[in-house]
Amino acid sequence: MGRNKIAVIGGGQIGGVIAQLAALKQLGDVVLFDIVEDMPQGKTLDIAEASKVDGFDVNVKGTNSYKDIAGSNIVIITAGLPRKPGMSRDDLLVTNAKIMRSVAEGVRDNAPGSIVIIISNPLDAMVTLFKNISGFPPNRVMGQAGVLDSSRFATFIAWELGVSVKDVNALVLGGHGDTMVPLTRYANVNGIPVPELLERKYKNKEKAAQVMKDMVERTKAAGGEVVKLLKTGSAFYSPASSAISMTEAIIYDEKRVLPVCAFLQGEFGVSGYYVGVPAVLGAAGVERIIELTLNNEEKSLFDNSVNAVKTLVADMERLGL
Ligand code: TXD
């Protein structure tokens, strides 16, 4: 087997950082595609010219032609507009569905054996659309949301408790929208439940519960918090890192257990929809979905989030997108 080839579709903010990280980590040769002329060529030239300094040696190519993605084993899709302040992810549906349609055709026709990680928003709908147009099997089509949302949740917990973020485990399930479900009961610091640590810190159950609730709300609104600060565009470093960690899990067959926007076929009581759930990522892509027991409150939040995804997918169909 030769080198991995990683195609990144959409050479904007997230696509550019993904290309740089993939090169720095020498994950494989990198192709950066965009419809804007010269821009992906400019970014990849810039990245390649750092190879001596950073000590990496892979091919990094920018292109406006889908032919150049031929032979890619991983395709990461970031094409699509980002939010502006005040917008929800769902407001991007019409514009980005049109973009995703052309991207899905390009990937289907030129990299038919690839494993695809989608980042474009509204995430759950864009993954669904890609799967429908490409006809790729569900294990080879997934979305990135949960790795980032969980990393945001873990970051807030680490700051609150004054511990290393490396020791925090936190999981966010559901759709990548305002209804996402950060699981408080499963959040832990090297196995010690976060709610217990908060109660010890505040010596007051109500206060501890309020602090946890605030972290949950901040996690759900975290994308918007960055959008508001940036004024133009949305988060790009952390989404890029999240896509890279999924890529590593796949190319190194790591069997990592990550929250992934994956196609459910009966798991969690859901059939035929893409929703964020824990899954095993390895050489075959989404190899297995891991179910876990949700209590009544968690279940109702999860169902609410699944319903939001269903509405979005129905809107997409109603609008003929
Ligand atoms: O975690 C997540 N999933 C996300 C998703 C976190 C943050 C932002 N997320 C979404 O990713 C965001 O809402 C957007 O829908 C995408 C890409 O965000 P980015 O910040 O990278 O947007 P840019 O900088 O505008 O880049 C988008 C690029 C830009 O260069 C366009 O020229 C290109 O997409 N584009 C296309 N590429 C290929 N094909 C077509 N048709 C096309 N149209 C635009």
Side-chain angles (χ1 to χ4, degrees):
M1 204 187 93
R3 253 188 227 172
N4 290 304
K5 181 169 173 182
I6 298 155
V8 184
I9 313 296
Q13 299 270 64
I14 300 179
V17 178
I18 289 175
Q20 187 193 22
L21 288 175
L24 270 175
K25 291 175 170 243
Q26 296 203 110
L27 301 187
D29 292 331
V30 181
V31 176
L32 185 65
F33 172 98
D34 205 287
I35 48 165
V36 177
E37 277 178 31
D38 293 340
M39 181 270 281
Q41 290 85 345
K43 282 201 180 180
T44 49
L45 180 62
D46 190 17
I47 292 169
E49 287 169 355
S51 60
K52 168 67 188 163
V53 185
D54 282 318
F56 61 83
D57 189 1
V58 290
N59 299 322
V60 191
K61 181 186 168 81
T63 184
N64 307 113
S65 164
Y66 274 108
K67 292 204 162 46
D68 288 319
I69 73 165
S72 300
N73 44 340
I74 304 279
V75 175
I76 306 173
I77 301 176
T78 75
L81 301 192
R83 287 194 270 175
K84 294 195 173 69
M87 277 174 96
S88 88
R89 295 175 178 93
D90 297 357
D91 294 336
L92 300 166
L93 182 66
V94 175
T95 334
N96 286 356
K98 286 187 188 133
I99 294 173
M100 185 54 71
R101 194 161 269 282
S102 70
V103 171
E105 288 165 0
V107 174
R108 176 195 65 198
D109 297 345
N110 294 280
S114 58
I115 294 178
V116 180
I117 302 170
I118 292 150
I119 302 197
S120 319
N121 272 327
L123 199 260
D124 310 276
M126 291 305 102
V127 184
T128 307
L129 187 59
F130 182 95
K131 177 180 172 288
N132 291 345
I133 293 170
S134 67
F136 285 13
N139 63 302
R140 290 204 279 120
V141 181
M142 70 196 86
Q144 186 301 115
V147 174
L148 170 58
D149 296 329
S150 301
S151 178
R152 285 170 166 160
F153 191 25
T155 304
F156 302 145
I157 291 169
W159 288 341
E160 167 60 33
L161 292 173
V163 299
S164 169
V165 71
K166 290 186 195 173
D167 292 323
V168 179
N169 300 299
L171 187 58
V172 177
L173 302 185
H176 183 56
D178 303 335
T179 59
M180 68 178 77
V181 188
L183 287 182
T184 55
R185 203 162 54 96
Y186 287 99
N188 67 78
V189 177
N190 262 349
I192 309 164
V194 171
E196 178 181 334
L197 292 171
L198 286 172
E199 281 178 29
R200 284 180 188 281
K201 176 173 171 184
Y202 290 103
K203 299 181 180 59
N204 175 327
K205 262 190 187 313
E206 284 75 47
K207 171 73 181 158
Q210 186 56 49
V211 170
M212 185 55 124
K213 196 159 172 276
D214 291 346
M215 290 194 290
V216 165
E217 292 310 317
R218 188 172 181 191
T219 301
K220 288 159 73 176
E225 187 181 354
V226 174
V227 170
K228 202 166 161 221
L229 290 165
L230 291 180
K231 312 277 189 307
T232 57
S234 51
F236 54 102
Y237 295 113
S238 56
S241 296
S242 303
I244 289 288
S245 83
M246 292 171 71
T247 303
E248 289 176 311
I250 296 166
I251 63 178
Y252 299 131
D253 194 18
E254 290 177 326
K255 316 286 187 205
R256 286 206 61 194
V257 179
L258 297 173
V260 175
C261 175
F263 193 67
L264 297 185
Q265 295 167 292
E267 299 91 349
F268 290 90
V270 179
S271 264
Y273 285 93
Y274 270 97
V275 182
V277 292
V280 175
L281 280 196
V286 178
E287 299 192 343
R288 190 149 64 84
I289 284 158
I290 298 199
E291 291 197 75
L292 51 93
T293 312
L294 300 177
N295 64 25
N296 287 342
E297 191 195 345
E298 292 157 351
K299 178 93 179 73
S300 90
L301 291 169
F302 182 77
D303 290 346
N304 177 43
S305 190
V306 171
N307 284 335
V309 173
K310 287 183 178 171
T311 307
L312 196 60
V313 171
D315 282 351
M316 191 164 70
E317 283 162 9
R318 189 170 46 78
L319 297 167
L321 297 169

